[in-house]
Amino acid sequence: MRASLSRLVRPFAVTVSGLLLVTACSSGGDSAGASGSGKPVQGGTLTAAVDTEPVSWDIHASTQDITAEIQRQVFDSLVSQDSSGKFHPWLATKWEVSDDYKSYTFHLRKDVTFSDGTRFDASAVKANFDHIVAKSTKSLYAVSLLGPYTGTQVVDPYTAKVTFAKPFAPFLQAASTTYLGFYSPKAIAANAGKFAAGGPADVGSGPFVFSSYTKGQSATLTRNPKYAWGPSTAKHTGPAYLDKLVIRFLPTASVRSGALTSGQVQVAKAIPPQSVTTVKATPGFDLISRQAPGGNYNLWLNGSLAPLDDQRVRKAIQRGIDIDQDVKTVTFGQYPRAWSPISPTTPDYDKSLEGSWPYDPKLSAKLLDQAGWTGRDAQGYRTKNGKRLTVNWPLLSIQATREGRDVLAQAIQADLKKIGVEVKHPSLDLGTYNTEVYGGKANFVDLSWPRFSPDVLWLFLNSGSAPAKGGINATFVKDTDLDQWTDEGRATLDEKVHTDVYAKVQQRAIDLALVVPLYTQVSLVGESDHVKGLTFNASNWLTYYDAWLTK
């Protein structure tokens, strides 16, 4: 809820306006560089500011993308994915995929050790994947990335065969993410219950070691001096250049931007759109802007609950929001208005949707009349049989101001009031929020979900991804076509099939008015000129392995 349902601490995503899964989800692997020039220098401490603090640090249980982004520095994956979607060796030197996509055999490096000295081998792969699917782990997102997992066979000490009950073509992409990264088996046996708290209990094999965490303030990662197995997509081999990486949690946008320009931090994520011009104009600083892949920031409509169980009402709402104007105003033109549930940087994005469903309040009025909402009360809201046309849109209090979404929500409420729809947007604590959203009691759920794969559409729209099963399908609708097409997409890597089925999925989601795409998330990162080698991975997350500081 990677978030609002962005990945939440339950199966939705907190970017659901917050957490439908508190913001998880996503891909791995290094890709395009954000900056870098000159000869790298060893040493120094880089301090970075982020807008969100993890609710849980456990990569196997959390759904937050901020957890995966920070912990990427601590945990390695079997493979890495580049910005074009291709896969490259990491902890696995090579792999074979069965013709039916039901098994994947990985040949592992023999020189990898966790920071506690435990060796990484096929048994470690099995221990981690089995840990993810164990009920005691309470995984909310990683377990979905393992799909129809049936087990891992230790073929020999450095060969692991991962099997599935049915074809599961997205597995390599999933295996590139932090969520399927690896804890030391020794740590799993002794300290699995402490992973959520972060700190030294979180033992990985990555370029940094999780040294300490002070809730509400910062997390400190230190260089792993023995690291020598970075992904082939990285720009160097051996240990990281930085001695230390400090992550500060600064949720207030102005404070975060000020910390950057005053030199308190060298990198600041989520620069507010209104501060972009200032950062660009400040000597000694750069502004990096990149569109995120995966699910856009979308408004998902619960088609199982009145009044949105009527497609005409859903369509009226979809066409009654002035998305172009609202997004442009709130994001100062920095985030592009969205037309599809997935972003333009996601494989198999359907460009033909652009401009196909514009703002049309006259059509909205006509549809609501047809649906029987013809009355008006004293406040101007539509009524039917004496009942006001009201929808419930819960707001997760801890994510209220993210990217100005609270202001955007106000604009949406005003738009829908014009066509006679009342939108209630109560601020809820996490427990109450989860009960309403995952229990199907909300009419609207706002959610973004970064992932460099069109399989994110399966998570959004397949009935197998129902919240009751740990999924994030906030529409609560079982549609035969959407199920069939997203299942077909999962069963193959054939590009022609993907182009066909995923285009149809995007179009049908819009036609059924199950979703109102709002905007494509853009990473706005400010950095000091002293920072070099900072990179984004395929999920648009910052990675610090190649980063270094000029003296």
Side-chain angles (χ1 to χ4, degrees):
M1 304 164 231
R2 198 115 271 179
S4 258
L5 254 184
S6 179
R7 263 144 212 208
L8 230 181
V9 270
R10 243 219 81 148
F12 260 75
V14 140
T15 276
V16 85
S17 157
L19 286 170
L20 254 180
L21 265 183
V22 145
T23 101
C25 315
S26 87
S27 57
D30 294 323
S31 63
S35 65
S37 62
K39 184 177 181 180
V41 175
Q42 184 75 50
T45 296
L46 188 154
T47 303
V50 298
D51 62 335
T52 305
E53 181 174 3
V55 173
S56 167
W57 289 95
D58 189 344
I59 60 172
H60 290 171
S62 175
T63 59
Q64 287 183 280
D65 48 11
I66 188 63
T67 299
E69 180 170 24
I70 297 173
Q71 292 282 50
R72 174 81 293 174
Q73 324 310 318
V74 179
F75 296 95
D76 294 328
S77 293
L78 287 171
V79 298
S80 64
Q81 184 182 29
D82 66 25
S83 58
S84 67
K86 295 182 179 179
F87 300 103
H88 301 268
W90 195 344
L91 296 183
T93 59
K94 60 180 180 179
W95 52 89
E96 293 92 39
V97 182
S98 65
D99 291 340
D100 60 4
Y101 297 102
K102 293 174 69 174
S103 69
Y104 295 73
T105 301
F106 296 93
H107 302 274
L108 311 176
R109 294 185 64 128
K110 300 179 180 180
D111 61 344
V112 178
T113 58
F114 293 96
S115 59
D116 64 359
T118 304
R119 72 174 183 175
F120 172 78
D121 56 15
S123 295
V125 175
K126 177 176 174 58
N128 276 266
F129 288 172
D130 288 352
H131 174 253
I132 289 170
V133 300
K135 291 184 178 180
S136 59
T137 302
K138 298 180 181 179
S139 177
L140 299 176
Y141 184 55
V143 69
S144 72
L145 292 178
L146 279 177
Y149 174 78
T150 57
T152 298
Q153 176 187 353
V154 178
V155 178
D156 62 46
Y158 293 99
T159 305
K161 183 177 182 180
V162 184
T163 57
F164 301 92
K166 56 185 179 181
F168 190 50
F171 179 60
L172 279 181
Q173 193 281 325
S176 73
T177 69
T178 312
Y179 303 105
L180 298 191
F182 298 97
Y183 286 98
S184 163
K186 182 178 179 180
I188 291 176
N191 294 311
K194 299 179 181 179
F195 291 164
D202 288 11
V203 180
S205 63
F208 291 91
V209 176
F210 199 158
S211 300
S212 64
Y213 166 53
T214 302
K215 187 175 178 61
Q217 297 184 34
S218 64
T220 299
L221 313 181
T222 55
R223 185 170 65 98
N224 178 358
K226 297 181 180 180
Y227 193 73
W229 42 84
S232 61
T233 46
K235 297 180 180 180
H236 84 288
T237 59
Y241 297 120
L242 298 171
D243 289 333
K244 187 180 295 184
L245 173 63
V246 177
I247 306 295
R248 293 183 60 189
F249 309 113
L250 301 177
T252 303
S254 59
V255 172
R256 201 164 53 254
S257 298
L260 175 70
T261 54
S262 67
Q264 298 177 53
V265 303
Q266 291 81 50
V267 174
K269 284 203 61 184
I271 293 295
Q274 62 269 30
S275 299
V276 167
T277 301
T278 300
V279 173
K280 285 183 175 180
T282 302
F285 297 93
D286 294 320
L287 192 288
I288 309 156
S289 175
R290 281 171 50 105
Q291 288 189 17
N296 286 314
Y297 178 55
N298 300 317
L299 194 61
W300 294 94
L301 279 55
N302 183 347
S304 71
L305 185 67
L308 303 187
D309 53 348
D310 187 326
Q311 184 177 341
R312 293 169 297 186
V313 176
R314 298 198 303 270
K315 179 69 72 173
I317 288 172
Q318 183 190 68
R319 302 297 287 274
I321 301 173
D322 191 355
I323 300 172
D324 285 295
Q325 185 60 46
D326 293 347
V327 169
K328 181 179 180 180
T329 300
V330 173
T331 73
F332 292 79
Q334 295 297 320
Y335 294 2
R337 176 253 167 92
W339 294 97
S340 164
I342 59 176
S343 74
T345 55
T346 309
D348 300 301
Y349 167 75
D350 184 7
K351 189 176 178 60
S352 70
L353 284 172
E354 296 180 6
S356 66
W357 51 280
Y359 175 52
D360 192 344
K362 291 183 179 180
L363 174 61
S364 296
K366 179 180 179 180
L367 290 169
L368 292 176
D369 285 343
Q370 293 175 356
W373 295 93
T374 54
R376 293 274 184 170
D377 62 17
Q379 287 72 44
Y381 293 111
R382 287 178 176 263
T383 61
K384 181 166 66 173
N385 299 325
K387 184 177 181 181
R388 178 181 287 183
L389 179 51
T390 301
V391 294
N392 176 37
W393 178 8
L395 167 68
L396 186 65
S397 59
I398 61 175
Q399 295 231 334
T401 61
R402 177 179 178 177
E403 297 173 354
R405 292 178 183 180
D406 54 338
V407 180
L408 180 59
Q410 293 171 17
I412 291 172
Q413 286 176 297
D415 288 341
L416 293 182
K417 183 176 182 179
K418 293 176 182 177
I419 63 171
V421 180
E422 179 186 36
V423 180
K424 293 185 176 180
H425 197 39
S427 178
L428 305 178
D429 61 75
L430 183 58
T432 305
Y433 178 89
N434 279 340
T435 297
E436 290 215 5
V437 169
Y438 295 108
K441 300 176 183 179
N443 296 114
F444 289 175
V445 173
D446 57 310
L447 159 70
S448 59
W449 202 283
R451 186 178 177 189
F452 194 61
S453 170
D455 186 57
V456 71
L457 290 166
W458 187 96
L459 295 173
F460 287 147
L461 295 162
N462 192 287
S463 62
S465 184
K469 301 177 181 179
I472 62 168
N473 185 343
T475 73
F476 290 87
V477 168
K478 179 179 175 59
D479 180 79
T480 301
D481 287 333
L482 291 174
D483 281 354
Q484 177 184 333
W485 295 331
T486 52
D487 282 340
E488 287 180 12
R490 282 197 147 190
T492 182
L493 291 179
D494 186 295
E495 293 184 6
K496 291 183 178 179
V497 173
H498 278 196
T499 298
D500 176 48
V501 299
Y502 287 125
K504 290 190 291 189
V505 168
Q506 293 166 71
Q507 183 66 62
R508 185 158 179 78
I510 295 297
D511 290 346
L512 293 178
L514 294 173
V515 62
V516 184
L518 297 174
Y519 62 75
T520 294
Q521 287 184 289
V522 176
S523 292
L524 297 174
V525 179
E527 67 170 353
S528 164
D529 286 349
H530 293 292
V531 178
K532 306 297 179 182
L534 193 64
T535 61
F536 285 104
N537 70 5
S539 293
N540 220 32
W541 296 341
L542 291 176
T543 60
Y544 296 88
Y545 174 50
D546 286 320
W548 54 281
L549 295 170
T550 61
K551 297 298 185 180

